[in-house]
Amino acid sequence: MATAAVTGTDDIRTRAQTALARCGADLAGYKGDAITARTPITGAALFGLRADTPQDVDRAVEGARTAFRTWRTTPAPLRGALVKHLGHLLTEHQQDIADLVTIEAGKIRSEALGEVQEMIDICDFAVGLSRQLYGRTMPSERPGHRLMETWHPLGVVGVITAFNFPVAVWAWNTAVALVCGDTVVWKPSELTPLTALACSALLDRAIAATGAPAGLGQVVLGAADTGERLVDSHHVPLVSATGSTRMGRAVAPRVAARFGRAVLELGGNNAAVVTSSADLDLAVDAAVFAASGTAGQRCTTLRRLIVHEDLADPVVDRLTHAYRQLPVGDPFQAGTLVGPLVNEAAYTRMRETLDRATADGGTVRAGGERRLAEAAPGAYYVRPAIVRMPAQTAVVREETFAPVLHVLTYRDFDEAIALHNDVPQGLSGGIFTTDQSEAERFLAADGADCGIVNVNIGTSGAEIGGAFGGEKETGGGRESGSDAWRSYMRRATNTVNYSGRVALAQGVDFSRPADDR
Ligand code: NAD
């Protein structure tokens, strides 16, 4: 199924202008010709925008540094009041931000609204966190001493984000950084500048309404070179960068060279194991969403399905059947489940992957073909693809940011875990089983090697309460819930002596002769 027509570019432009105006964003102030805001719905250009120069980035960092001097000593629960207000504004403008996410990233309505919900949820989480930035007290080995740790704000956090979660990732970082007492300079993807302007306007409104220092949250528009300026700034102690492993490989050594801290959230190549005991209805339903949702453009998208060999034929048949029914089309239209790829380059990479997989002996069982080319010649709608692979070849071990699901088979459970882990990335993994020992082995230390490991759930769709991130070439960073906040603060270990005497740790005796005093 494919919906026959798509929303016209003029309508989309008007919708974007309305959403931006409602949020209070100054689109006219950003008019220029350095960046083109486009929509993957039609592939057309919407607005020309100016990019921030290196000097603009420096000014933004300086403004955030100035705000930091006040913000770091503002009590954390009061900092929480700003984030609470931001959460209210996001709730009020959920439709507006979701419209912009659909327009720029091509997400279907439900997923776009879900992304904004995630922003609201992280604001709630951060408000609670603002009263829970706990340090520990440890027993001192010395009499009359107290040993404890305190957590302090770090400074300006540089946030670099990818196109596919254009607003949630900013919110994960910003809500937590702000309650931790940091200030933020955000470099959004050059593919999604409009959503960034809208979110930045909402934060400015929240700052004004709560009397927080102006300059505390800034946005800089531009491509990789704008991000590089932030990455190299000695006044940015933490860079939280989300994007491809290629980007992380460039960013990590530059931040390390100046002894900055980096939180890296990079590419994934996520797999799920379907064991012989699996509930197949559940496994197939979950796999269809995980592999084809967001048109395969989630970092956690299911890219490899590792199926017990006895079940491979029925699983592939059921998936193929489900894929043929998937409504591909205009993400604004009710009923659409698969929107467009972000651009032509994504489509080209998908085609190359399918060609390479076929050359390696794979069989394309469904999808891969372009849809709606007549209705929207500048857009790239595709039917998600399933490829049955004889082995985990080089192309399967790479992340292709498009809906291609490679199906592999295994005979014994150890082989399934080995296949699961035999990729350079380590973001998300899942197992479908009704056998508790298989589930536990998957979760154990010698099981799945990812940062997110699920049982009877697909690889995508994490909740904000847990720490989000992955291992190996996914970068090792953690954002969002749990204790991810610690990356946004500096720890001080404090020892207080109230004994009135000098006592050295480890029993060291440094007493000088009495007549020496
Ligand atoms: P991308 O790497 O092309 O760009 C991401 C961001 O990095 C953009 O803002 C870009 O301008 C900036 N950038 C690129 N090179 C840079 C450099 N040298 N210095 C500083 N900034 C630089 O990624 P994309 O195409 O926007 O997003 C898709 C990729 O992001 C996929 O690989 C996906 O898996 C990954 N991703 C990961 C997560 C995660 O949490 N692990 C979340 C979302 C997306």
Side-chain angles (χ1 to χ4, degrees):
M1 264 193 285
T3 45
V6 299
T7 311
T9 300
D10 288 344
D11 285 352
I12 295 171
R13 198 176 284 117
T14 306
R15 209 158 169 161
Q17 274 166 329
T18 305
L20 285 160
R22 283 169 52 86
C23 292
D26 176 22
L27 183 60
Y30 258 96
K31 205 167 171 223
D33 56 10
I35 303 173
T36 305
R38 295 183 173 277
T39 177
I41 299 174
T42 62
L46 299 176
F47 307 104
L49 302 173
R50 69 175 165 81
D52 284 292
T53 63
Q55 291 70 33
D56 293 332
V57 176
D58 294 347
R59 265 192 293 277
V61 171
E62 198 43 48
R65 280 183 84 204
T66 305
F68 175 67
R69 288 188 198 106
T70 314
W71 195 236
R72 65 183 164 185
T73 52
T74 303
L78 293 187
R79 301 194 296 241
L82 166 66
V83 175
K84 189 173 184 173
H85 198 85
L86 176 64
H88 289 156
L89 288 174
L90 287 167
T91 306
E92 191 185 319
H93 291 282
Q94 185 163 11
Q95 295 284 346
D96 296 321
I97 303 289
D99 270 2
L100 292 165
V101 170
T102 297
I103 288 168
E104 288 196 305
K107 287 195 186 186
I108 61 168
R109 293 304 289 156
S110 172
E111 291 192 70
L113 287 165
E115 177 161 357
V116 188
Q117 187 57 47
E118 201 167 343
M119 303 172 82
I120 297 164
D121 293 346
I122 195 70
C123 285
D124 284 350
F125 178 91
V127 173
L129 179 66
S130 71
R131 292 179 186 270
Q132 299 175 77
L133 299 169
Y134 300 134
R136 284 180 242 235
T137 301
M138 290 72 82
S140 169
E141 65 191 48
R142 288 170 280 183
H145 284 59
R146 187 154 69 89
L147 182 58
M148 61 184 180
E149 61 188 17
T150 45
W151 291 86
H152 298 294
L154 205 53
V156 180
V157 178
V159 177
I160 296 172
T161 54
F163 83 85
N164 66 317
F165 272 93
V167 288
V169 173
W170 168 73
W172 292 354
N173 281 282
T174 301
V176 171
L178 289 180
V179 299
C180 288
D182 300 326
T183 55
V184 174
V185 178
W186 178 21
K187 208 300 278 174
S189 166
E190 54 275 41
L191 300 179
T192 56
L194 302 179
T195 46
L197 291 180
C199 291
S200 177
L202 293 182
L203 179 56
D204 284 345
R205 283 169 59 187
I207 291 169
T210 55
L216 165 158
Q218 312 231 9
V219 66
V220 288
L221 298 188
D225 52 339
T226 308
E228 282 167 7
R229 190 75 176 192
L230 209 48
V231 164
D232 290 338
S233 172
H234 286 261
H235 299 308
V236 177
L238 170 65
V239 174
S240 176
T242 299
S244 57
T245 294
R246 182 177 35 79
M247 178 275 285
R249 202 166 266 130
V251 165
R254 294 173 81 136
V255 177
R258 60 174 179 83
F259 295 98
R261 201 185 279 181
V263 170
L264 299 174
E265 300 284 352
L266 310 175
N269 189 355
N270 317 295
V273 175
V274 181
T275 74
S276 53
S277 73
D279 173 337
L280 283 197
D281 290 338
L282 187 148
V284 169
D285 269 1
V288 171
F289 169 71
S292 65
T294 330
Q297 299 169 114
R298 285 192 186 214
C299 51
T300 49
T301 290
L302 178 64
R303 308 202 180 279
R304 299 174 295 134
L305 197 64
I306 302 166
V307 188
H308 190 275
E309 60 182 9
D310 293 347
L311 295 178
D313 287 336
V315 166
V316 171
D317 287 347
R318 290 170 72 161
L319 282 172
T320 307
H321 179 74
Y323 267 44
R324 292 209 176 105
Q325 320 299 315
L326 279 175
V328 179
D330 183 345
F332 271 128
Q333 274 182 28
T336 298
L337 291 181
V338 181
L341 293 178
V342 72
N343 54 25
E344 183 180 6
Y347 174 67
T348 304
R349 280 194 292 272
M350 179 174 178
R351 288 302 328 165
E352 285 168 358
T353 293
L354 292 175
D355 290 346
R356 286 174 63 197
T358 311
D360 287 347
T363 313
V364 178
R365 290 292 305 271
E369 70 276 15
R370 205 170 151 197
R371 314 289 299 183
L372 294 166
E374 275 183 30
Y380 291 86
Y381 293 87
V382 287
R383 179 162 300 290
I386 301 171
V387 194
R388 189 137 178 202
M389 291 299 294
Q392 187 150 270
T393 59
V395 68
V396 184
R397 298 175 75 254
E398 291 167 20
E399 180 195 48
T400 300
F401 214 57
V404 177
L405 178 64
H406 300 283
V407 180
L408 301 152
T409 54
Y410 76 93
R411 188 185 294 267
D412 68 72
F413 194 68
D414 288 340
E415 189 189 348
I417 291 186
L419 271 174
H420 179 278
N421 292 346
D422 184 25
V423 291
Q425 312 81 355
L427 181 52
S428 179
I431 187 168
F432 292 93
T433 181
T434 55
D435 177 333
Q436 192 182 352
S437 84
E438 283 176 343
E440 293 293 340
R441 283 176 66 196
F442 195 70
L443 299 176
D446 56 352
D449 63 0
C450 295
I452 297 164
V453 185
N454 298 331
V455 175
N456 291 325
I457 295 181
T459 51
S460 65
E463 298 179 24
I464 58 99
F468 184 91
E471 304 302 327
K472 304 191 287 185
E473 289 190 3
T474 303
R478 291 296 185 276
E479 288 174 346
S480 190
S482 186
D483 63 354
W485 61 270
R486 290 172 187 232
S487 297
Y488 299 77
M489 302 197 83
R490 66 180 172 85
R491 182 197 321 235
T493 301
N494 315 126
T495 312
V496 179
N497 175 5
Y498 59 92
S499 71
R501 288 188 302 278
V502 173
L504 300 178
Q506 294 87 41
V508 171
D509 181 5
F510 205 71
S511 46
R512 283 171 286 141
D515 58 2
D516 203 26
R517 301 185 177 203

